[in-house]
Amino acid sequence: MKTSEPPKHSRILILDFGSQYTQVIARRIRECQVYSEIVRFDTSAAEIAAMQPNGLILSGGPASVYDKGAPQVDPEIFSVGIPVLGICYGLMLMAHHLGGGVVFTGRREYGAGVLHIANQSDLFDGLGDQLDVWNSHGDEVTALPKGFRVAGTTEGCDFAAVEDAKRKLYGLQFHPEVVHTPRGKEILQNFVYHICRCAMDWTMGSFIEEACARVRKQVGDQKVVLGLSGGVDSSVTAALLHKAIGDQLTCIFVNNGLLRAREEEVVQRVFGENFHIKLKYVDASERFLSKLRGVTDPEEKRKIIGNEFIRVFEDAIVDLAKTDDGSPVADHKFRFLAQGTLYPDVIESVSIEGNPAQVIKTHHNVGGLPEKMHFELVEPVRQLFKDEVRQAGLQLGLPKEIVYRQPFPGPGLAVRILGEVTPERLSILREADTIVQSEMEAADWYYKVWQSFAVLLPVQSVGVMGDQRTYENTIALRIVESRDGMTADWVRIPYELLARISNRISNEVKGVNRVVFDISSKPPSTIEWE
Ligand code: XMP
């Protein structure tokens, strides 16, 4: 098969000093259609030079340059001729290493300020005389290194923006990457286009072409297997791999009996019928439900589902490698396992005390690898952020229903049925869930929120229907907004919509006589109830 090396792109490297905004910087740069990558703060100047970036950005971070063990930079990076933009802590390091003065103020300054632009810096080209900016810093520059001059001041800070245009070194005390610096993106654009001379060559079209070439090169004529969940990441991975290697890809879709109503139909229709992807559908509902019988502990449920998934997946692979008469076929072996790993999962998190990003770990990933099968991994979207994966999905022809669907947990409806999971309780929850989703969609709210779903509580209460007293189940509605699932708040959706959902559930779902609305934020609550 003909393969070619992907062309070299413009690229910006971001040295991560532990700021909670490091990934935001990377995304902003990519929004400028320039490829960006996050590397550890202690990457050496030689390694950096070998990666041939057009420019470097030193992120902010929680440390003071005077802290014991404060993350340091290889000072050589300031003299290898690559443009550098230091943001906040990044600026402090630059000033500190190049002979300027930095003081530890002992207080962190947060909040809005106004930057007065001076000396016509290239960084602020086209931005007028003053800008609203957002500060969050502890140290402050008190004296400029040799060769530097002021490019902007704020009320509290004479060195809010500084530069040595000759050496292409720039520093900002404030954060251009956050939304509270409304024209920050233009500052970053000036840096990447005018100062670093980057081309706008990071587009989804070029990414897809190159990712396909990379996959072809990696797998040759071998077969690849992918666990397709129907979620965004595995769906886009499937579509991309199918474009790259066609029938060398087989997807396995496991029905664990804990899916939403008709989910298995949707997945088979989209991937099997529309995309003509080789899809093995495994209905393992019985296996999962019998293992879950009598189990009420949430962690126990998750463990059972995770372990069972691996077993079912392994069995399915063994099955695929057999001929019709059951004998194994040598060329049917799968050497490669594909996964929809995303960029935020692969960025090595910098562990610095006080770094909020450090405490946040993805605590779930049900359906881990069948390790003993010794697969080689194929991870074609591992360079992408979530919003980029969605763009890629649309470009590959996936429907909006898949690309913008709300997250759905691996253990499925089991974590939304408090207490024992039984076929009856699953059926109640499925009906309620279908009503929630269809009303949210009809009212144009489905795509505006992070998640909207029903939870079946192990609480029965008294109701009245006609002349009869009832004693039946309670459904809780959970509708939340969130950026990444780490924190969340309940959505103030219109009362009319709540009323419609509630009426429909109590009228149409047999076994439910009460609907309540969850008004807890995360923290302290979680999004799922288990
Ligand atoms: P919590 O309940 O921890 O959920 O606030 C945060 C986000 O993660 C999803 N979630 C899961 N996703 N496997 C997953 O793939 C899981 O076991 C799991 N548990 C929770 C949840 O839906 C929310 O979006």
Side-chain angles (χ1 to χ4, degrees):
M1 192 170 290
K2 192 167 164 280
T3 54
S4 55
E5 283 297 321
K8 189 184 158 335
H9 283 299
S10 293
R11 72 168 62 190
I12 297 288
L13 290 186
I14 298 152
L15 267 64
D16 182 17
F17 293 92
S19 166
Q20 56 180 317
Y21 300 127
T22 302
Q23 290 192 27
V24 182
I25 303 173
R27 286 163 65 163
R28 292 283 168 271
I29 301 299
R30 290 191 187 189
E31 283 164 17
C32 301
Q33 293 184 21
V34 173
Y35 181 65
S36 67
E37 218 174 287
I38 296 171
V39 295
R40 281 183 59 89
F41 63 86
D42 50 6
T43 309
S44 73
E47 286 171 275
I48 288 171
M51 294 163 94
Q52 301 183 326
N54 298 62
L56 296 180
I57 296 181
L58 313 186
S59 84
S64 155
V65 290
Y66 295 111
D67 284 347
K68 227 172 88 201
Q72 292 303 329
V73 67
D74 178 348
E76 281 297 306
I77 65 160
F78 300 118
S79 45
V80 288
I82 304 170
V84 181
L85 173 65
I87 295 175
C88 199
Y89 181 76
L91 162 62
M92 301 310 145
L93 276 177
M94 195 188 281
H96 187 61
H97 280 288
L98 296 175
V102 175
V103 290
F104 173 57
T105 59
R107 63 191 147 82
R108 267 196 98 76
E109 189 180 330
Y110 290 98
V114 176
L115 179 79
H116 299 278
I117 293 168
N119 291 326
Q120 296 187 329
S121 166
D122 285 345
L123 210 48
F124 302 113
D125 190 28
L127 289 171
D129 299 333
Q130 59 180 54
L131 291 177
D132 291 331
V133 298
W134 180 261
N135 290 300
S136 162
H137 58 92
D139 291 348
E140 237 177 75
V141 174
T142 49
L144 289 179
K146 214 162 148 236
F148 273 73
R149 64 174 187 169
V150 172
T153 58
T154 57
E155 194 176 335
C157 178
D158 292 339
F159 304 110
V162 302
E163 66 175 16
D164 176 345
K166 220 168 174 185
R167 286 190 285 172
K168 293 194 188 300
L169 304 177
Y170 298 81
L172 301 174
Q173 171 91 69
F174 60 91
H175 288 272
E177 70 277 21
V178 301
V179 286
H180 313 292
T181 300
R183 301 189 70 181
K185 191 159 164 201
E186 291 168 72
I187 301 174
L188 294 174
Q189 283 172 337
N190 280 338
F191 180 67
V192 298
Y193 300 145
H194 303 323
I195 295 167
C196 301
R197 305 254 162 229
C198 290
M200 295 166 75
D201 53 13
W202 172 253
T203 62
M204 262 317 125
S206 68
F207 167 78
I208 290 171
E209 290 310 318
E210 287 158 30
C212 286
R214 265 194 301 270
V215 169
R216 285 187 206 115
K217 188 170 174 194
Q218 184 188 1
V219 308
D221 58 2
Q222 301 282 316
K223 294 188 186 319
V224 179
V225 66
L226 166 73
L228 180 63
S229 71
V232 181
D233 309 343
S234 68
S235 296
V236 175
T237 303
L240 183 62
L241 288 176
H242 183 64
K243 182 177 165 71
I245 54 171
D247 273 355
Q248 285 167 254
L249 170 73
T250 302
C251 294
I252 297 177
F253 176 71
V254 175
N255 183 348
N256 58 8
L258 306 164
L259 305 175
R260 281 160 298 192
R262 282 188 289 286
E263 177 69 3
E264 65 278 15
E265 283 168 33
V266 173
V267 171
Q268 290 183 85
R269 183 166 40 77
V270 170
F271 293 94
E273 292 167 29
N274 295 3
F275 269 85
H276 303 293
I277 287 180
K278 272 205 222 162
L279 181 65
K280 182 176 173 65
Y281 170 64
V282 184
D283 185 354
S285 324
E286 283 303 315
R287 273 176 77 162
F288 282 87
L289 295 188
S290 70
K291 283 258 155 48
L292 286 169
R293 202 165 295 140
V295 180
T296 53
D297 178 68
E299 277 311 300
E300 186 69 8
K301 283 190 201 170
R302 279 172 183 276
K303 235 183 262 156
I304 290 173
I305 296 164
N307 291 339
E308 195 57 20
F309 179 85
I310 294 175
R311 277 192 214 112
V312 170
F313 196 75
E314 283 172 349
D315 290 352
I317 293 173
V318 171
D319 235 34
L320 279 169
K322 282 181 188 160
T323 56
D324 291 341
D325 66 5
S327 58
V329 259
D331 79 334
H332 230 90
K333 270 195 100 116
F334 292 92
R335 229 184 80 199
F336 294 93
L337 176 75
Q339 286 193 325
T341 313
L342 300 193
Y343 194 45
D345 306 326
V346 298
I347 300 168
E348 206 183 330
S349 80
V350 172
S351 131
I352 293 162
E353 213 179 314
N355 173 10
Q358 172 197 342
V359 235
I360 300 167
K361 289 263 148 67
T362 40
H363 56 293
H364 4 71
N365 251 333
V366 176
L369 307 184
E371 271 173 23
K372 63 174 196 259
M373 300 193 97
H374 305 301
F375 284 111
E376 248 179 71
L377 286 185
V378 181
E379 300 179 309
V381 295
R382 62 181 275 132
Q383 281 175 297
L384 301 189
F385 285 110
K386 192 82 178 188
D387 47 339
E388 294 175 316
V389 169
R390 292 205 165 98
Q391 284 171 38
L394 289 177
Q395 195 134 343
L396 286 159
L398 285 173
K400 182 179 169 202
E401 290 68 25
I402 297 271
V403 169
Y404 286 103
R405 62 185 5 199
Q406 295 175 0
F408 185 69
L413 299 180
V415 292
R416 296 178 181 172
I417 293 177
L418 276 63
E420 189 183 355
V421 179
T422 64
E424 298 72 37
R425 306 190 79 210
L426 272 165
S427 147
I428 292 177
L429 183 59
R430 271 199 194 104
E431 281 182 45
D433 179 67
T434 303
I435 292 172
V436 177
Q437 298 322 325
S438 68
E439 288 299 334
M440 289 293 287
E441 275 172 38
D444 244 356
W445 272 90
Y446 177 86
Y447 294 109
K448 290 185 192 149
V449 305
W450 174 261
Q451 274 171 306
S452 47
F453 56 87
V455 181
L456 179 59
L457 305 188
V459 173
Q460 296 198 307
S461 69
V462 174
V464 53
M465 190 165 283
D467 295 334
Q468 301 278 318
R469 272 164 65 88
T470 57
Y471 188 60
E472 288 183 320
N473 293 292
T474 310
I475 286 284
L477 292 179
R478 186 78 167 130
I479 305 177
V480 295
E481 56 195 7
S482 171
R483 256 174 49 105
D484 52 13
M486 299 305 178
T487 60
D489 198 9
W490 59 281
V491 181
R492 278 62 168 171
I493 64 167
Y495 283 167
E496 298 69 34
L497 179 53
L498 283 176
R500 225 171 11 253
I501 294 173
S502 161
N503 286 340
R504 280 197 59 195
I505 292 176
S506 14
N507 289 331
E508 295 173 30
V509 183
K510 216 165 149 273
V512 176
N513 66 355
R514 192 174 296 274
V515 177
V516 297
F517 186 41
D518 181 349
I519 51 168
S520 333
S521 62
K522 173 184 181 174
S525 304
T526 48
I527 296 176
E528 304 291 346
W529 276 47
E530 279 194 346

